[in-house]
Amino acid sequence: MTSADRPAEAARRLPVRGRLREAYLAAAVPVIACLAALCGLTAWVSSGAAGSPPRIEVTGARVFAPYPGKTDTAAFFRISNAGGADDELLSVTSPAVERAMLSRHDTAGTGAHSMGMTGPVSLPAGGTLVMSPFDLDVMVRARAGWQPGDAVPFVLHFRHSGPVEAVALVVRPGS
């Protein structure tokens, strides 16, 4: 190779080296971004901030004893979600009832009250849902005459947690 050929050879290599450097830089940016995101997600999950699945607990289950000659009544539950994710109460069933439906009582501005069947009920992460005769309850039609003190099995069905069993104590209405 002569001295005249060397500058020509260097000129051909220089653009190739520049293109390689640009290619490495172009590839490094997304790789660094992915590593930063992975480190951030790892720290988030390790700290517990990523949440946990819903953990449902049912307490305070009670059902009103039906009035004499009647079979329709209402059941009430206190439902807590100690988990890190929201859930929904979809329905309530029981082998001791003919039917069970979620219902909600509303008060109009004029003091009038209305009651209607409702769909799924949200249960936020870390939240508690307390059913009462004045808000949300489970309307049930009893199969047999219940007396105060009887125990009635129920199954509460949730979207993410699945079925949760509870036993409701039969109480006099208003107690």
Side-chain angles (χ1 to χ4, degrees):
M1 186 181 293
T2 66
S3 60
D5 293 336
R6 285 187 190 145
E9 181 68 25
R12 280 188 296 205
R13 285 190 198 166
L14 195 55
V16 171
R17 285 184 187 160
R19 283 185 278 167
L20 281 175
R21 185 175 54 125
E22 289 175 6
Y24 287 135
L25 288 174
V29 170
V31 169
I32 291 170
C34 286
L35 287 174
L38 183 60
C39 289
L41 287 172
T42 301
W44 183 49
V45 170
S46 297
S47 71
S52 60
R55 284 194 334 248
I56 304 299
E57 181 179 335
V58 179
T59 58
R62 59 194 172 100
V63 61
F64 285 161
Y67 287 106
K70 304 290 183 183
T71 56
D72 291 339
T73 188
F76 311 95
F77 304 91
R78 179 183 176 91
I79 307 167
S80 299
N81 180 359
D86 297 347
D87 208 342
E88 284 184 312
L89 174 62
L90 301 175
S91 64
V92 178
T93 59
S94 172
V97 304
E98 288 181 26
R99 69 176 182 190
M101 299 174 288
L102 292 169
S103 67
R104 185 172 301 277
H105 300 265
D106 292 317
T107 303
T110 60
H113 296 273
S114 67
M115 189 272 301
M117 299 310 126
T118 185
V121 179
S122 296
L123 186 57
T128 300
L129 172 67
V130 180
M131 294 183 178
S132 77
F134 309 107
D135 186 23
L136 180 71
D137 62 26
V138 180
M139 297 297 297
V140 296
R141 177 164 289 159
R143 288 191 192 274
W146 297 333
Q147 299 299 317
D150 289 349
V152 181
F154 284 92
V155 179
L156 287 75
H157 302 272
F158 294 89
R159 182 173 308 281
H160 302 293
S161 301
V164 176
E165 295 180 3
V167 176
L169 183 65
V170 177
V171 297
R172 293 187 193 286
S175 58

